[in-house]
């Protein structure tokens, strides 16, 4: 990631300010200044079946740790130290937190293979494949496909909480609910729905809205959002789990 | 734990109401959907619906309770009926579907309903998948 001289100078100034003051405000500015680095490194892991937004959050946590732990006396450039820490955080995320219920490596790999195959077969068949078709294409048994799917639903990042309502600013909860609810729900139900859906990140809220309010299929949602069908499926399961926890 | 009965069109499963074992209900449901030739997104719908309903009936009981589940294979679809068997000291009160859960289930399955507690048995649910 090449930086121009002015940008480099700005980051150096932010670092000097932080090293000198160690204030929260200067730490926040330093973090903000290095967010492009965090995003850049997160993108390197984007082909592993995890939402990029989640990876950026993990990378940001790594960046935060780098800022907290950085020791200027050790003579290492902050950007080098931060990149090392961010990469460590991303790798740890995949190793430890990625599979909430630890699944054997072969199932993790099969799940990622299925993610690709579902999209490919959907294209060639003009519909979603059956489990038997997936098994045949992957060269495994139907039971193995089902096992991998089950393991895949556990493939989530438990450390990533949904942002606070309105934090993302992309889709308001009110617009997610859509006009249909005006007739369907009482005011009390509507308030409850609004509160619950507000616990989801903007994209997940949109997926829930498209699936359950507009009755769109997973494949249609995947097309619209430019992500894989399995990714939609996983985000739906994750969203419903979040909503259940929020309502309990 | 799973028992195949008669002509093979029913499966009975009794599981403790702990999250790690309740997933067996989901596993059996997705296995049945697969055998019936459901497309992968329909298999996922079944899994989500089963999860949602199981959670609705077990969320208020402790892990000493069990859930007795009956899967009935139909023509191109299957039905699931589950009943809580409350553990000692657990109260057999009814379950309630939120507006959100109603919305979700009405999208995912052909038919569903909650079963009120009866003498000796806790709340339960009944659902029927869409056609494969």
């Amino acid at each position: 990631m090449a930086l121009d001289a002015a940008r480099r100078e700005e980051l150096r100034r932010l670092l000097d300010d932080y090293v000198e003051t160690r204030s929260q405000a200067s730490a926040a500015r330093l973090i903000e200044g290095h967010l492009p680095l965090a995003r850049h490194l997160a993108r390197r892991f984007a082909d592993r079946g995890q939402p990029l937004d989640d990876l950026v959050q993990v990378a940001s946590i790594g960046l935060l740790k780098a800022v907290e732990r950085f020791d200027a006396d050790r003579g290492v450039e902050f950007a080098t130290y931060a990149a090392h820490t961010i990469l460590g955080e991303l790798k740890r995320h995949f190793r430890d937190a990625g599979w909430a219920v630890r699944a054997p490596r072969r199932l993790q790999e099969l799940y990622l293979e299925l993610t690709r195959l579902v999209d490919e077969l959907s294209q060639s068949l003009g519909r979603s494949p059956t489990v038997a078709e997936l098994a045949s294409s992957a060269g495994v048994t139907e039971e193995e496909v089902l096992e991998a799917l089950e393991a895949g639903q556990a493939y989530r990042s438990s450390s990533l909480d949904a942002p606070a309502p309105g934090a993302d600013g992309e889709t308001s909860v009110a617009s997610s609910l859509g006009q249909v609810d005006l007739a369907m729900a009482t005011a009390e139900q509507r308030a409850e729905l609004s509160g619950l859906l507000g616990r989801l990140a903007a994209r997940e809220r949109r997926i829930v809205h498209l699936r359950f309010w507009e009755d769109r299929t997973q494949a249609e949602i995947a097309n619209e959002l430019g992500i894989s069908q399995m990714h939609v499926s996983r985000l739906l399961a994750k969203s419903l789990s979040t909503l259940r926890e929020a309502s309990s | 734990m799973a028992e195949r009965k008669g002509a093979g069109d029913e499966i009975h499963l009794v599981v403790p109401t702990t999250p790690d074992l309740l997933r067996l209900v989901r596993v059996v449901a997705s296995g049945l959907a697969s055998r019936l030739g459901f497309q992968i997104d329909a298999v996922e719908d079944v899994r989500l619906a089963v999860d949602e309903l199981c959670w609705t009936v077990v969320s208020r009981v402790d892990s000493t309770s069990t859930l007795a589940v009956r899967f009935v294979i139909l023509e191109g679809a299957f039905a699931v009926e589950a009943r809580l068997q409350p553990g000692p000291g657990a109260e057999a009160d009814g379950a309630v579907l939120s507006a959100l859960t109603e919305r979700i289930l009405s999208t995912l399955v052909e038919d569903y309903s909650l079963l009120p507690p009866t003498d000796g048995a806790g709340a339960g649910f009944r659902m029927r998948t869409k056609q494969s």
Side-chain angles (χ1 to χ4, degrees):
Chain A
M1 216 176 93
L3 296 178
D4 61 37
R7 178 82 181 127
R8 224 180 347 252
E9 179 55 33
E10 186 194 344
L11 291 177
R12 197 182 308 279
R13 195 171 41 75
L14 289 174
L15 178 63
D16 289 346
D17 185 38
Y18 174 67
V19 169
E20 194 178 316
T21 66
R22 289 271 166 180
S23 71
Q24 290 212 343
S26 63
R29 282 193 296 272
L30 186 60
I31 289 168
E32 199 180 327
H34 285 83
L35 277 178
L37 172 66
R39 286 193 204 99
H40 173 74
L41 294 174
R43 264 185 233 112
R44 284 169 52 174
F45 293 78
D47 61 349
R48 299 194 184 186
Q50 282 243 5
L52 181 61
D53 290 352
D54 286 3
L55 297 179
V56 170
Q57 286 191 56
V58 173
S60 303
I61 291 167
L63 176 58
L64 186 65
K65 287 181 178 174
V67 169
E68 283 170 352
R69 296 171 188 168
F70 181 66
D71 181 357
D73 295 338
R74 297 174 88 171
V76 180
E77 284 277 330
F78 176 75
T80 308
Y81 180 75
H84 180 77
T85 311
I86 290 167
L87 284 172
E89 194 70 23
L90 284 162
K91 287 176 184 169
R92 188 164 39 251
H93 169 71
F94 278 97
R95 193 180 61 231
D96 299 336
W99 297 85
V101 176
R102 191 163 277 288
R105 176 167 289 279
R106 68 176 176 83
L107 286 184
Q108 297 180 29
E109 287 169 356
L110 177 56
Y111 178 78
L112 297 177
E113 165 81 355
L114 293 173
T115 298
R116 186 179 61 76
L117 282 174
V118 166
D119 287 345
E120 276 182 19
L121 289 171
S122 297
Q123 282 278 334
S124 59
L125 297 168
R127 57 164 173 79
S128 293
T130 63
V131 172
E133 287 163 343
L134 275 171
S136 167
S137 290
V140 297
T141 65
E142 291 182 38
E143 283 68 30
E144 284 173 302
V145 169
L146 291 171
E147 244 186 307
L149 292 178
E150 180 64 25
Q153 293 299 359
Y155 186 33
R156 63 185 177 83
S157 169
S158 55
S159 63
L160 301 178
D161 293 324
D168 41 64
E170 289 176 31
T171 315
S172 74
V173 177
S175 70
S176 290
L177 282 168
Q179 293 300 312
V180 65
D181 303 293
L182 293 172
M184 187 277 293
T186 64
E188 193 181 349
Q189 286 172 332
R190 197 173 160 76
E192 182 198 339
L193 283 169
S194 225
L196 282 174
L197 292 174
R199 302 290 288 266
L200 301 176
R203 182 173 55 174
E204 288 161 16
R205 204 158 60 226
R206 178 150 177 73
I207 290 173
V208 166
H209 170 67
L210 289 170
R211 182 73 189 97
F212 300 118
W213 269 263
E214 293 193 10
D215 206 15
R216 306 274 286 276
T217 66
Q218 290 183 13
E220 288 168 348
I221 298 169
N223 274 340
E224 179 158 336
L225 300 188
I227 57 179
S228 71
Q229 187 178 318
M230 295 280 276
H231 195 162
V232 171
S233 164
R234 194 153 48 83
L235 288 175
L236 273 175
K238 181 183 164 194
S239 300
L240 296 196
S241 169
T242 302
L243 291 169
R244 280 198 294 269
E245 282 166 23
S247 67
S248 61
Chain B
M1 233 182 296
E3 175 190 349
R4 203 168 162 168
K5 297 186 93 182
D9 56 0
E10 276 198 22
I11 294 165
H12 290 225
L13 187 68
V14 179
V15 286
T17 54
T18 57
D20 56 329
L21 292 172
L22 273 174
R23 68 187 277 276
L24 291 173
V25 183
R26 203 167 61 209
V27 168
V28 172
S30 56
L32 276 179
S34 164
R35 282 172 61 95
L36 288 167
F38 280 41
Q39 291 172 19
I40 192 71
D41 49 353
V43 174
E44 295 293 329
D45 283 353
V46 167
R47 289 157 46 91
L48 290 177
V50 165
D51 244 5
E52 204 66 29
L53 282 163
C54 281
W55 182 85
T56 299
V57 298
V58 308
S59 60
R60 297 191 212 179
V61 298
D62 60 25
S63 57
T64 62
S65 302
T66 56
L67 189 68
V69 192
R70 186 165 72 106
F71 298 87
V72 182
I73 301 172
L74 310 166
E75 193 69 38
F78 64 96
V80 186
E81 188 175 315
R83 275 278 182 195
L84 263 181
Q85 310 293 334
E91 291 193 19
D93 56 352
V96 181
L97 289 170
S98 69
L100 180 62
T101 304
E102 297 253 20
R103 165 66 68 171
I104 291 166
L105 290 171
S106 62
T107 304
L108 298 176
V109 295
E110 183 68 31
D111 190 31
Y112 66 91
S113 59
L114 288 184
L115 305 172
T118 60
D119 284 346
F125 69 82
R126 185 182 285 148
M127 65 160 257
R128 180 188 160 125
T129 66
K130 294 182 175 177
Q131 291 296 117
S132 62

